[in-house]
Structure formats: C-alpha cells, structure tokens
Amino acid sequence: MGLCGQAGRHSSAGTELGSTKMPTVKYQRGDMVMGRWPGSSLYYEVKVLHFDAKSQLYTVIYKDGTELELKEQDIKSAAGFQSRPRSRSRSRSPGRRRSRSRSPARTTRPSCTAAAVAAAAITESTPPSRSDAKLKDSFEVRLIPPEQTKASENNGNKKHEKKEDNEPANKVNESEPEKNQSRYNLRRRKDDGDGKAEVKAEQLEEKEAKMAAAAAPPSVSLDFGGKLGAYFWLLFLPAWVLFLVLKVNQEDPSLANFPPPWPPLESFWDAKALGFVVLWILFQVLLYILPVGKLSEGMPLRSGERLKYRTNGFFAMVVSCVAVAAAVQQGADLTYIHSHFLQLAVSSFLISVLLSSYLYLRSGRAAAEQLALGGSSGNVAYDFFKGRELNPRIKYFDLKFFCEMRPGLIGWCLINFALALTEMKRQGLEAPSHAMILVNLFQLLYVADGLWNEEAILTTMDLMHDGFGFMLAFGDLVWVPFTYTLQAYYLVSRPTPLSPPALAAIVTLKLVGFYIFRKSNSEKNAFRRNPSDPQLSHLKTIPTATGRSLLVSGWWGVVRHPNYLGDLLMALAWSLPCGFSHLLPWYYMIYFIILLVHRDSRDMSECRRKYGSAWDEYCRTVRYRIIPRVY
Ligand SMILES: NC(=O)C1=CN([C@@H]2O[C@H](COP(=O)(O)OP(=O)(O)OC[C@H]3O[C@@H](n4cnc5c(N)ncnc54)[C@H](OP(=O)(O)O)[C@@H]3O)[C@@H](O)[C@H]2O)C=CC1
Ligand SMILES: CC(C)CCC[C@@H](C)[C@H]1CC=C2C3=C(CC[C@@]21C)[C@@]1(C)CC[C@H](O)C(C)(C)[C@@H]1CC3
C-alpha cells in the first residue's frame, strides 16, 4: 500500500525522503511498517521517513500526512499483524449511527486520512492489557474528517498553504469539521474500512475508547516546573500578593526599602471584610444565573459535546455599576476598600483556597473525559494547583467561566473606582487626577470589552484546555482584583502630573493596543466558530489533520500571537501614567511579559502536539511569536 496523494501535505523539508543513507537501524527510510498511534493500542500503516540517532526516534508519516516521532518499540513490522475479515456489525450506538448519516459530504472511499487510520485501525494481535493500560497510557487522538479528506484529495498535491475557498460546495469542508467535531474524536468507524484492515479495536467498547482518549497522556510534560514547581507556586503566589499589598502601602515603595513592615497578625483578618467579599460573589452569582442574555455554545469537547454558557457579563457589569452608584448615593464609603485592602485580599484568598479544595475533591469523581489534558499527574500538589476538571459545573453553573469573568474582573473596576474616590479624599481633589482617570478608564475599557465579547473567551486557552484549580481560582479571585489594581492604588497618595503631549501619546498607545487586541481576538474567534464566514474568505489558512485549519494571514499572519502584542501595548499604556519614580506600578508590565511569554510557549507545545507538522509549517510561515521582527 503506497502513500496516498496528500501524504506529503504536511511533510517538512527536514523529513523529506532524501538520498542520504539511514544509519544501520532496525527500520529503514521508506519502509512501510505499523506504527502505534500515541497512547492507544492501535497500529496504523506508516512510512519511515527518518531516524534520529541522538533521540533514537523514528519520524514516520501516517497516511493522512501526519508526521510523528515514534520510539522503536512503538513500531512493528507489517508482517506481525493479522488481517481479519471485516465485521459487518453495525454500531450499537444510535448516536454513532446518526453521525454517520448526517454528513452528505462523506466520502465512500476509506482513503488516506487519519480517519482512514481509524477505519483501517489495526491492533496488535495481543494488545497489552487494554482496559488498564488505556486509562493510564492514552492520548487525545483527533481524526481527520472524511470531508477534510475530500478537500485534500481535491487539492491533490497543491501547495500546503491555501486560500480558503468559500464556494458553497466547498464550505462544508471547513465548517463541518468544526460542527461535527464529535466525529473526529477517537471513534471507531466500524462500517468504514479499506478491507485490508480490520481490527481488534472493534472489540473495544466505545466508552472505553472515549475514556482512553480523554485521560491525560503520561507523555504530556508537566508545566510550571512540574511537581516541585507546584509546591513553589502554591507558596510563592500568595506570598507575592502579600508582598505587593504591603509594599504599595509603604510611604516610599522603592525596592531599596525592603522588606516592607510586617503588620500585626490580627490585622490580617476582618470578618466584615470577608462578609463583603462573600456578598459581592453572591451578588455576581445572582446576576449570572438570571435568565438574561444569550446562551452561547462553547467549543466542542473531546466527547463531542458543546457546553452552553450564559454570556450576560456586560449586563452584570452594568447592573453592578448601578448598584455601586446607588450604594455611594446612599452614603456607602468606598474608601473602606483602600483602608481594608489587606483584609479583603486575605478573605478572597481564603475563598479561593476553599474553592480549589472543593474543585480538587470533586475532580476525583469526574469521568476521565471531563479532565483536562495533563491535569492528572497523580501528584496532589500539582493537580491541586493546575486543576484536573476542565469544566466543573454545578448543574448549569459553570464555575470556571463564572470565576474568570465575573467577581474578580468586575471587582477590579469596583476597586479602581474606590481608589479614585480615595485619591480625591486624600489629596483634597474635586476630581481624580488625570493619571488616575486614565488608569481607571483604560482598565474599565479592557474589562467592559472582555465582557461585551464574553463569547470570545470560550476559544481561549483557559476555557478550552486548562483545568480549574488553585492557579485559576486564585488568579481570578485574588490576583486580578488585588494586583491588577496596583497602579490605581499607587496613584492614591502619589500625585503624578501628566503633560498634554504625554496624555495624548498614552491615549494613542492604548487605542492602538486595543485595536490590535480586539481585532485579532475577534478574527480568531470568528474563524473558530465559523471557518466559512464570508468575512474571512480573504484569509489564507493551513489545513491540519484534526480537521481544523490555522489562520496564516490577517492578524495571525503578522505574528503568532497578535492578541498578546495588543495586550502588551495596552499594559504599557496602563503603567506610563504612573511615571518612572518607582518600579511598583511597572510591576504589571513586567509580570505580563513573563506571563505571556510563558503562555505563548505553553500554547506552542500544545499546538505542536495537536497539529504536528501543520504547526511547524505555520511557524515557518509566521516566524515571529509576539513582536514582529523582534520576538
Ligand atoms: N490580562 C490578563 O491577565 C491576560 C489576558 N490574556 C489575554 O486573553 C486573550 C486570550 O489568550 P490565550 O487564551 O492565552 O490565547 P489565544 O486566545 O491566543 O488562544 C490560543 C489558541 O488559539 C488557537 N490558535 C493559535 N494560532 C492560531 C491560528 N493561526 N489560527 C487559528 N487559531 C489559532 C489555538 O487553539 P485551537 O487551534 O485549539 O483553537 C491556540 O491554542 C489574549 O488576548 C491574551 O492577551 C491572557 C492571559 C492573561
Ligand atoms: C496566578 C497566576 C500567576 C496567573 C493567573 C492568570 C490569570 C489571572 C489570567 C489567566 C487568563 C486570564 C484572562 C483574563 C484575566 C486574567 C486571567 C484570568 C481576561 C478575562 C481579562 C479580560 C480580557 O478581555 C480577556 C481576554 C477576556 C482575558 C482572558 C484571559
């Protein structure tokens, strides 16, 4: 069986078959062998492209063009496999039967795709104790849809990078995979098959296969410094927030003035402050569950399911503003927030610890397919920190989505506003300073925009890939409201006059950053939701073996993370109004560079894993990560 037409689609120059001789190894370049699909016990026909003596890994190419690196033990000679007559038994799952008939574009040819890989799934004659092994030793397998196959076949050997075709007839090729994502997850397609391949996999229960697909692969490397790193972050993050809060309260918050004075222990705790935080969160819960605003669909999960989210964040923000204004009108003294900043932060921290403990405990009962990839290391500290469950919900109440978008984010604006009032009181001003107005307005715009485009968060890393644990719970409830407000806090007692040209330059910078941030995020969100969107028809894309494509022109053709670039420009505009006397108001800028550089590298590894050589192709085409020609 030779490689099919599109087999070379994703092959990179480095792995092209060349004339140089392979070193003396078990399998030679060009050999057709059986390669194990990572994490499963399924073997597919692959062609050996290359052997790397240093890493002892073979680069092999599957029939859909997906290239992977495999260890020798994951490769078998084709002779060791039995071809069994193909079972004619139809799927027992009605869902599966439905999904088969749903697509008019289904190709009848079993063809050369990773879906065909499933169709042609061949297992070892005696797979290693499957049911045990599968849970532990598994990997998310996404299969190329038949539609994609057809598209690829139509394209023949056309250039890898293609202009998205918006002809109605072809639309299905791009939109279907997104809509019917469920079909591309590890799903055996018993009725397909190329006759050569049949499969012991047929004996596997679909449920088992799904669980196998869902469990975290042992090969997923643990980020954040792994298990030891988790202990470090669990201690460091709260200590760092405490340090910043104490530091910003110092009369001279310069680095030379270290350490900040340690307050008496009893001043850390205030029951009233805890009461306010609880009330605020409950108020946000109430607004979230009100049947106001639209229900948006999240991206397809590995199970194929699409969760619904109540996206009424902007409404929640407006109601919160009205409620706060009414409270101030009634004589509520918001300067309390400034004078009890430490106690409010400690209370929020306690709530985040309680929430993370609850999340960790309940994740023990979650089905494997509900866990985030890489979230289950088996180490308590790491799993507690990173979070195991992808979308923990209490009925329809989505805890991660709620925490990320509501109490902390809207709380950030409330605190900023309170700090502006405190500045006026402290400095005897009739209106907040220009610097304070800029910081308040800029950050208000950022939050309001996030809530206005709330649906877009459903295609971000946090919502799609990360588990919900201490890192995000603490990040959402403590980190955001108590460290993102440091610039406003800093300005309360440190007047920083701004000249009109400086004002104009800072506003321009903010608007440029905002434009890049919003346009790029919206472009990706629109594309992920509907790849056939006519408004995106001018964009070039790279197809991938998962059935999803990657944007390679437009904003995502400038750098690999244009949204980070816009975000960083905005961050700069938030720090500039505070001047250059101290490092403290620049803390956000420094932290944000570190966060986004790390996030970018996490995302790169994740996309490399998901998209294989298509991702490499993208990286070759779009060379810079965040800043054009610089980084
Ligand atoms: N203020 C703050 O504290 C923070 C703000 N942010 C902001 O939040 C926003 C979301 O950031 P984040 O979730 O980190 O990352 P992104 O929104 O950039 O999401 C990354 C994902 O986008 C998809 N993608 C990547 N490249 C392409 C491409 N070329 N074409 C199509 N899809 C692509 C991939 O997912 P897939 O292919 O699976 O769809 C990838 O995993 C950003 O604007 C960021 O600046 C983030 C962190 C903190
Ligand atoms: C504690 C850790 C060191 C870091 C925690 C990181 C979190 C604070 C951030 C991770 C991603 C975030 C996003 C936003 C806020 C900060 C966190 C939670 C975001 C909601 C801000 C508003 C934007 O418009 C957005 C694009 C919706 C952001 C999404 C990511």
Side-chain angles (χ1 to χ4, degrees):
M1 207 190 307
L3 283 173
C4 300
Q6 82 273 32
R9 266 190 323 138
H10 300 152
S11 69
S12 62
T15 51
E16 289 293 330
L17 293 181
S19 55
T20 48
K21 257 191 91 187
M22 287 265 278
T24 328
V25 285
K26 191 164 175 190
Y27 304 107
Q28 295 298 313
R29 177 181 291 133
D31 280 356
M32 296 305 296
V33 289
M34 306 306 293
R36 190 161 81 99
W37 188 257
S40 76
S41 52
L42 305 179
Y43 281 77
Y44 307 113
E45 195 174 49
V46 295
K47 186 170 189 169
V48 176
L49 293 180
H50 173 75
F51 175 74
D52 183 48
K54 208 164 152 207
S55 62
Q56 293 288 304
L57 292 173
Y58 287 88
T59 305
V60 298
I61 186 163
Y62 291 77
K63 289 164 116 196
D64 67 331
T66 305
E67 285 179 24
L68 283 180
E69 292 182 328
L70 296 181
K71 293 189 199 135
E72 197 176 89
Q73 70 243 37
D74 290 333
I75 302 179
K76 307 256 179 266
S77 73
F81 284 76
Q82 296 172 353
S83 279
R84 288 173 10 124
R86 193 158 66 91
S87 156
R88 292 280 151 205
S89 68
R90 291 193 70 84
S91 163
R92 261 176 287 145
S93 149
R96 236 185 316 164
R97 277 200 301 275
R98 254 200 317 279
S99 77
R100 265 186 59 77
S101 55
R102 220 185 296 150
S103 165
R106 273 182 75 87
T107 172
T108 48
R109 256 181 66 193
S111 74
C112 312
T113 65
V117 165
I122 297 180
T123 54
E124 264 185 285
S125 14
T126 345
S129 73
R130 278 186 315 238
S131 41
D132 290 353
K134 251 186 315 295
L135 270 176
K136 281 196 250 134
D137 181 15
S138 56
F139 205 88
E140 182 185 17
V141 179
R142 296 181 186 215
L143 304 176
I144 194 166
E147 292 83 352
Q148 184 78 17
T149 313
K150 211 171 162 192
S152 310
E153 281 167 357
N154 291 343
N155 283 345
N157 284 335
K158 262 188 221 152
K159 239 176 91 195
H160 188 160
E161 183 184 311
K162 70 172 178 72
K163 198 153 190 238
E164 205 73 352
D165 190 347
N166 277 296
E167 286 303 304
N170 289 331
K171 267 186 186 166
V172 70
N173 293 334
E174 285 300 322
S175 59
E176 282 287 289
E178 303 266 346
K179 283 189 203 140
N180 300 323
Q181 189 75 17
S182 56
R183 298 215 323 268
Y184 314 125
N185 294 324
L186 185 61
R187 204 175 265 269
R188 286 167 289 116
R189 296 185 19 220
K190 296 180 181 177
D191 304 313
D192 283 356
D194 62 5
K196 291 198 180 157
E198 194 46 45
V199 195
K200 274 208 172 169
E202 294 202 8
Q203 296 160 355
L204 297 175
E205 281 304 310
E206 183 174 68
K207 207 172 163 197
E208 269 186 294
K210 270 190 184 172
M211 284 168 84
S219 57
V220 167
S221 62
L222 304 181
D223 40 26
F224 294 95
K227 294 163 189 173
L228 264 185
Y231 287 106
F232 169 78
W233 293 114
L234 284 170
L235 296 173
F236 173 77
L237 291 175
W240 181 248
V241 175
L242 178 63
F243 168 74
L244 289 175
V245 169
L246 296 181
K247 196 89 197 119
V248 75
N249 261 315
Q250 269 184 303
E251 206 158 306
D252 175 14
S254 66
L255 281 182
N257 237 339
F258 183 87
W262 187 257
L265 260 190
E266 60 274 14
S267 66
F268 280 80
W269 170 250
D270 182 62
K272 209 164 132 194
L274 177 67
F276 281 132
V277 175
V278 171
L279 267 182
W280 176 253
I281 294 176
L282 289 179
F283 178 53
Q284 294 305 325
V285 169
L286 177 73
L287 296 178
Y288 177 66
I289 57 176
L290 284 181
V292 177
K294 77 174 194 195
L295 279 176
S296 305
E297 276 199 326
M299 289 291 104
L301 302 172
R302 269 170 286 149
S303 61
E305 193 190 349
R306 293 181 83 146
L307 296 175
K308 289 208 162 56
Y309 296 84
R310 170 84 52 203
T311 43
N312 61 4
F314 194 75
F315 158 81
M317 180 168 181
V318 171
V319 176
S320 303
C321 289
V322 172
V324 169
V328 172
Q329 192 70 29
Q330 293 301 309
D333 181 13
L334 287 195
T335 61
Y336 174 90
I337 293 182
H338 179 266
S339 54
H340 290 79
F341 205 61
L342 175 63
Q343 294 82 354
L344 291 165
V346 170
S347 306
S348 304
F349 170 65
L350 290 179
I351 293 174
S352 73
V353 172
L354 282 179
L355 175 62
S356 325
S357 310
Y358 165 73
L359 291 168
Y360 179 75
L361 291 176
R362 64 169 271 157
S363 71
R365 282 183 283 116
E369 66 180 4
Q370 290 166 336
L371 301 181
L373 275 180
S376 301
S377 67
N379 177 277
V380 179
Y382 186 83
D383 293 346
F384 175 82
F385 175 72
K386 255 322 269 307
R388 297 179 74 228
E389 215 177 329
L390 190 57
N391 307 103
R393 286 186 158 208
I394 301 173
K395 296 222 161 139
Y396 296 105
F397 193 93
D398 192 288
L399 292 164
K400 183 163 71 169
F401 180 70
F402 169 76
C403 286
E404 181 135 343
M405 296 308 284
R406 304 304 168 80
L409 210 56
I410 303 177
W412 173 9
C413 298
L414 168 65
I415 295 176
N416 270 354
F417 177 59
L419 294 172
L421 295 179
T422 314
E423 185 205 39
M424 287 164 61
K425 196 171 166 185
R426 281 259 175 121
Q427 297 183 30
L429 304 171
E430 289 202 341
S433 65
H434 287 146
M436 182 63 99
I437 292 176
L438 285 195
V439 168
N440 256 268
L441 285 185
F442 287 172
Q443 299 185 350
L444 183 74
L445 173 68
Y446 187 68
V447 172
D449 166 79
L451 293 168
W452 181 261
N453 296 288
E454 201 174 18
E455 203 177 59
I457 201 179
L458 302 176
T459 59
T460 63
M461 276 166 69
D462 307 64
L463 264 286
M464 290 197 306
H465 309 304
D466 289 343
F468 192 30
F470 179 81
M471 185 181 83
L472 276 183
F474 176 82
D476 296 339
L477 301 179
V478 185
W479 193 264
V480 169
F482 296 98
T483 72
Y484 287 24
T485 47
L486 278 184
Q487 283 128 342
Y489 203 113
Y490 174 87
L491 290 172
V492 165
S493 42
R494 293 165 194 98
T496 313
L498 291 173
S499 65
L503 260 170
I506 296 172
V507 171
T508 310
L509 179 69
K510 166 74 189 180
L511 293 179
V512 170
F514 179 66
Y515 182 78
I516 299 174
F517 169 83
R518 178 46 39 225
K519 284 286 178 190
S520 54
N521 272 329
S522 298
E523 189 174 88
K524 187 204 53 176
N525 183 50
F527 180 70
R528 277 288 170 255
R529 291 192 168 273
N530 179 14
S532 313
D533 187 339
Q535 293 188 351
L536 304 174
S537 61
H538 59 288
L539 296 179
K540 288 181 184 169
T541 60
I542 292 180
T544 78
T546 66
R548 289 176 163 210
S549 301
L550 290 165
L551 287 168
V552 77
S553 72
W555 287 104
W556 296 81
V558 179
V559 281
R560 289 181 221 153
H561 262 125
N563 49 354
Y564 290 1
L565 173 64
D567 223 339
L568 282 170
L569 293 178
M570 286 196 282
L572 184 59
W574 300 353
S575 294
L576 283 170
C578 304
F580 300 95
S581 316
H582 292 105
L583 199 59
L584 198 65
W586 289 87
Y587 146 78
Y588 179 80
M589 184 72 206
I590 299 165
Y591 141 79
F592 209 44
I593 293 174
I594 299 171
L595 179 92
L596 293 185
V597 166
H598 178 246
R599 246 174 123 83
D600 171 74
S601 76
R602 272 207 302 147
D603 196 37
M604 287 283 291
S605 330
E606 173 64 16
C607 289
R608 176 73 186 72
R609 187 188 66 75
K610 269 188 293 192
Y611 301 128
S613 47
W615 183 255
D616 292 338
E617 172 81 16
Y618 175 60
C619 294
R620 273 195 300 276
T621 316
V622 181
R623 288 189 39 223
Y624 292 94
R625 291 163 179 247
I626 301 177
I627 307 176
R629 292 175 186 283
V630 177
Y631 176 75

